[in-house]
Amino acid sequence: MSSRDHILAAVKQHQPEASVLPSLEGLSGNMPGTLEAYRKVLEGLGGSLFEIKDESEIPALLAEHYPHLQRIIRVGDEQRAWINEDPHLLEDVDMAVVPGQWGVAENGAIWLTEAEIPVRVLPFICQHLAIVLPAGRLLPTMHEAYEKIGAPQTGFGVFIAGPSKTADIEQSLVLGAHGAKSLVVFITAG
């Protein structure tokens, strides 16, 4: 038996007994899963929120609040030629409008997967990001979010919260360092 095999056999022989994971019951705190709680955290992160009846209101709101936008990509539009493009050709996207699955009030995050976003780089390469989320998809905490998500059903998923920002030791703030410069969330009535 080689030294390697001897060591691995010893490690295998001395494994601790398996134990049940502790319950997370009661660790969620008292954060409500309400629109008001979500809005407060999102706006604290530098994001903005609009309540809308349906997605047909989005183009007018974008035109009013982001009049300088040149290239807007909206996931779900009939014009989907950009999906087959080289992701590098998306570098000039001013605004990406994407659907979200779950919103989390405690940190303002929204869960996105490749089921909704056919090109993974889209929410990170655009200058500004808009996420559409039904009001009934707001949860109080990450604990509840992970319970809803369960085991990953897609190869890619990400929580996105607030516009991208970073600061160095001299407290020089940079927006859009590794993602969108701004985040707007459209909460639909449904």
Side-chain angles (χ1 to χ4, degrees):
M1 179 183 277
S2 71
S3 295
R4 177 184 177 272
D5 292 334
H6 181 69
I7 292 170
L8 291 175
V11 169
K12 187 175 184 178
Q13 184 180 11
H14 294 91
Q15 290 292 313
E17 291 185 30
S19 62
V20 178
L21 292 174
S23 170
L24 298 177
E25 190 70 34
L27 295 178
S28 294
N30 58 1
M31 173 62 82
T34 63
L35 179 60
E36 293 76 27
Y38 181 81
R39 180 191 309 268
K40 182 177 181 178
V41 173
L42 178 70
E43 290 176 351
L45 294 171
S48 56
L49 186 143
F50 293 98
E51 293 179 68
I52 58 175
K53 291 180 183 151
D54 59 55
E55 294 185 40
S56 65
E57 297 176 45
I58 293 174
L61 286 167
L62 290 180
E64 178 183 345
H65 295 280
Y66 297 90
H68 62 283
L69 300 178
Q70 296 295 311
R71 185 173 181 201
I72 300 172
I73 289 181
R74 188 162 173 204
V75 173
D77 279 351
E78 298 301 318
Q79 301 292 334
R80 297 174 52 126
W82 59 270
I83 291 175
N84 298 319
E85 291 182 16
D86 175 358
H88 294 93
L89 298 176
L90 297 174
E91 69 182 351
D92 65 343
V93 173
D94 290 316
M95 173 71 79
V97 182
V98 302
Q101 279 190 13
W102 296 102
V104 183
E106 78 175 342
N107 62 5
I110 297 179
W111 177 246
L112 308 172
T113 71
E114 66 186 352
E116 296 85 25
I117 306 169
V119 180
R120 293 179 184 183
V121 74
L122 185 60
F124 307 104
I125 201 168
C126 60
Q127 293 295 311
H128 305 278
L129 179 62
I131 303 175
V132 182
L133 186 70
R137 298 297 218 134
L138 290 173
L139 301 168
T141 66
M142 290 295 285
H143 294 296
E144 283 89 354
Y146 279 113
E147 286 177 14
K148 293 286 188 182
I149 294 166
Q153 303 298 314
T154 62
F156 173 77
V158 63
F159 280 103
I160 294 181
S164 165
K165 56 187 161 240
T166 189
D168 61 17
I169 198 164
E170 295 174 356
Q171 299 180 357
S172 177
L173 181 64
V174 177
L175 295 176
H178 48 271
K181 293 178 184 175
S182 71
L183 172 67
V184 59
V185 177
F186 293 104
I187 300 290
T188 63

